[in-house]
Amino acid sequence: MENKVTQLTTVHQFILDRQNDFPYATGELSRLFRDIILAARIVNRDVNKAGLVDILGNFGSVNVQGEEVKKLDIHANIQFIKALSRGGECAAVISEEDEEISKVNPLGKYIVAMDPLDGSSNIDVNVSIGTIFSIYRRISPIGVDATLEDCLQPGSAQVAAGYILYGSSTMLIYTTGKGVNAFTLDLSIGEFCLSHANITTPNMGSIYSINEGNYKKFPDGVKKYIKYCQDEVKEEKRPYNSRYIGSFVADFHRNLMKGGIYIYPNTSKDPNGKLRLIYECNPMAFLIEQAGGKASDGFRRIMDIKPTELHQRSPVFIGSKEMVEKSEEHMAEFVTPFADKK
Ligand code: AHM
Ligand code: MG
């Protein structure tokens, strides 16, 4: 659900109008947003012509001109880091594409964590993909290089988070802790314009999203919850619909707007799940909570987890509040998560 938008407001105008929503209201965070939006527009342009230019394919391959071809996710990473380095407000970037922290400006006040192009398996087949970002205020003093401690803050310390969805239209959705707003890129004027104001997600939905191909490796609580989703109970609108794109941003966005739950659990193969806590789970957790939903690792609030590693993974159960709570109830029923370990 969202409030009806009746007049054209660009994202930059919106940020100016809502300056007081930005913590510390000094304009620096707004400038950081300007840098992220610029890079998003560049990446959007390149995603859109990815089939035409030789930008798809494996990193390290060579195109017909003999130039090195960069995979689109590597290319997106470069664009975002460039924009954030140029802008001056960002002290360091944590990216899915880089093992180490990129320390970009000792004078910057903010830490940006991001997955520059999420849904990599969908890049080559023209299915929606996205950029996820999360912004923290640094803890270390300004003037020195950002530290690991700056980068290992819990999700509850985020000052802003959002994503760009490169889909049938390109959208920017963000929160600064004062609700969630969405902006759609109007190609005719080259601006993100407010399209969905004050988004709230339904408390209950009828969609569950999970890669059921991994069913045999799921914890027993997840298996039981899936059965619950599939059971026929008319008055509770069950069975739910199963929808899974395999692009977190796209699956999350659909469920945010319609109501639903997305689960990427721990499995017997991947005991911590697949998605990364700092730049995939936490930003989406901030957004969903701001929209009235919930994000859990099956047992506790995602944003309360204190990261110990940059690329740490976490199971994630995220979406409509009542659905996430129901999945947690199922998880809590099993002391040992996998039947074969009992
Ligand atoms: P990526 O960051 O390498 O693209 O991986 C994250 C993606 C998510 O977008 C998506 O939800 C998930 O991995 C799909 O994984 P799977 O193919 O195991 O279902
Ligand atoms: Mg990813």
Side-chain angles (χ1 to χ4, degrees), residues 299-318:
F299 302 96
R300 56 192 166 151
R301 183 178 179 233
I302 287 280
M303 290 206 288
D304 285 341
I305 302 171
K306 170 86 178 81
T308 51
E309 286 169 34
L310 283 182
H311 300 284
Q312 182 170 335
R313 296 172 197 269
S314 172
V316 62
F317 298 64
I318 189 165

Side-chain angles (χ1 to χ4, degrees), residues 96-336:
E96 176 170 321
E97 299 301 334
D98 297 312
E99 202 51 44
E100 303 293 333
I101 306 166
S102 301
K103 296 173 183 173
V104 295
N105 182 4
L107 296 175
K109 286 188 182 160
Y110 296 97
I111 307 293
V112 177
M114 63 190 326
D115 184 350
L117 215 49
D118 181 66
S120 41
S121 62
N122 285 319
I123 293 177
D124 291 359
V125 288
N126 204 10
V127 171
S128 299
I129 46 181
T131 296
I132 310 173
F133 63 90
S134 164
I135 302 174
Y136 293 86
R137 202 170 162 83
R138 71 186 293 172
I139 300 167
S140 60
I142 292 164
V144 299
D145 275 350
T147 63
L148 186 61
E149 196 200 354
D150 291 326
C151 300
L152 296 180
Q153 300 184 54
S156 54
Q158 290 172 101
V159 294
Y163 59 84
I164 297 109
L165 172 63
Y166 310 100
S168 43
S169 59
T170 297
M171 292 182 87
L172 162 71
I173 288 88
Y174 80 81
T175 184
T176 53
K178 298 265 166 65
V180 179
N181 293 287
F183 303 80
T184 302
L185 183 60
D186 181 337
L187 289 171
S188 64
I189 58 171
E191 295 272 10
F192 282 99
C193 299
L194 181 64
S195 52
H196 305 71
N198 298 318
I199 296 171
T200 53
T201 198
N203 255 332
M204 258 312 286
S206 57
I207 296 172
Y208 73 104
S209 311
I210 186 166
N211 183 347
E212 285 187 67
N214 295 328
Y215 186 85
K216 284 195 167 166
K217 300 184 200 108
F218 287 158
D220 291 343
V222 171
K223 285 182 179 165
K224 195 159 175 242
Y225 180 67
I226 291 175
K227 285 291 157 233
Y228 169 89
C229 294
Q230 295 170 343
D231 280 346
E232 214 156 312
V233 185
K234 260 205 185 120
E235 37 311 346
E236 293 181 20
K237 295 196 178 138
R238 283 188 280 142
Y240 300 148
N241 288 316
S242 166
R243 295 282 183 272
Y244 189 73
I245 298 169
S247 261
F248 187 30
V249 176
D251 279 311
F252 176 91
H253 183 73
R254 181 202 51 240
N255 292 0
L256 170 74
M257 303 308 279
K258 293 190 166 185
I261 183 169
Y262 173 97
I263 303 177
Y264 208 110
N266 52 319
T267 64
S268 50
K269 185 168 154 264
D270 298 308
N272 298 315
K274 176 182 184 188
L275 300 189
R276 316 294 183 131
L277 176 62
I278 295 183
Y279 44 79
E280 291 179 323
C281 303
N282 271 336
M284 297 312 216
F286 193 16
L287 284 161
I288 205 74
E289 285 196 8
Q290 283 296 312
K294 195 166 174 174
S296 160
D297 71 349
F299 302 96
R300 56 192 166 151
R301 183 178 179 233
I302 287 280
M303 290 206 288
D304 285 341
I305 302 171
K306 170 86 178 81
T308 51
E309 286 169 34
L310 283 182
H311 300 284
Q312 182 170 335
R313 296 172 197 269
S314 172
V316 62
F317 298 64
I318 189 165
S320 294
K321 192 164 176 283
E322 287 179 27
M323 297 178 90
V324 173
E325 282 167 358
K326 185 57 83 179
S327 68
E328 286 180 317
E329 277 172 32
H330 282 86
M331 291 299 283
E333 279 179 37
F334 298 88
V335 183
T336 48

